[in-house]
Amino acid sequence: MTKRILLVEDDLPKKTQIIDSLRAASVELTFAQSVNEAIRRLDETTFDCVLLDMSLPTFNEGANASSSGRQQDFGGRQILTYMWELEISSRVMLVTQLPGFKTEIGKEVKLKDLDEALTKDFPGLYMGFIHFTHSTDAWARRIKDFVDAL
């Protein structure tokens, strides 16, 4: 059975490695590279899961980009909130290479603390995180295990 996956990622090298890790799996991949594009994709299609980057721009770059198209450390949380409010039941796995994120007032939030908050705020929707790193492929096995378990 083919699984439908939404990959929300704006970093091309990371996106390419994630795609490569899923080549052998029976999946149909759809892509989004900004908060708004991810929300549009979620409105258009039902997905089995979402592989979500946390730090995302509001808009894709190009003609529609504006000053509000800046990078947001918690762009992924906006997508989770949207899914929660509309009761979109696709399971979400955060895939990040960052150890922490800065709030709008500059306060650092460690990945472990963010994980705990997302688990509490989005039970049954948010399924945890995978720490992505270019130097090892442990993250690729975790993604494969997550997709296989759907």
Side-chain angles (χ1 to χ4, degrees), residues 59-69:
F59 302 107
N60 293 2
E61 292 195 29
N64 295 329
S66 68
S67 60
S68 59

Side-chain angles (χ1 to χ4, degrees), residues 3-128:
K3 294 173 182 159
R4 300 185 81 167
I5 299 173
L6 175 60
L7 174 57
V8 185
E9 178 57 63
D10 64 324
D11 180 79
L12 185 57
K14 183 178 160 192
K15 176 182 173 182
T16 301
Q17 284 190 266
I18 292 170
I19 293 167
D20 288 346
S21 76
L22 292 168
R23 282 222 193 278
S26 181
V27 298
E28 178 184 322
L29 282 170
T30 300
F31 307 103
Q33 59 186 6
S34 68
V35 172
N36 285 3
E37 186 178 19
I39 287 171
R40 199 167 47 254
R41 298 281 185 255
L42 288 162
D43 286 343
E44 296 168 350
T45 306
T46 300
F47 297 96
D48 295 299
C49 74
V50 178
L51 298 175
L52 179 65
D53 189 23
M54 183 55 62
S55 180
L56 294 163
T58 305
F59 302 107
N60 293 2
E61 292 195 29
N64 295 329
S66 68
S67 60
S68 59
R70 73 190 191 293
Q71 199 72 8
Q72 298 181 56
D73 274 10
F74 293 97
R77 186 179 181 93
Q78 286 181 265
I79 295 166
L80 278 162
T81 300
Y82 180 82
M83 292 176 70
W84 184 260
E85 289 174 352
L86 276 101
E87 299 180 0
I88 297 172
S89 61
S90 307
R91 300 297 174 246
V92 178
M93 180 65 71
L94 179 65
V95 183
T96 184
Q97 55 192 338
L98 300 175
F101 304 87
K102 287 201 186 320
T103 65
E104 286 188 10
I105 60 170
K107 182 179 182 245
E108 180 82 16
V109 177
K110 292 184 180 351
L111 180 56
K112 176 183 76 70
D113 297 330
L114 176 62
D115 178 57
E116 289 173 8
L118 295 177
T119 299
K120 179 179 154 274
D121 294 345
F122 306 105
L125 177 64
Y126 173 76
M127 307 307 290

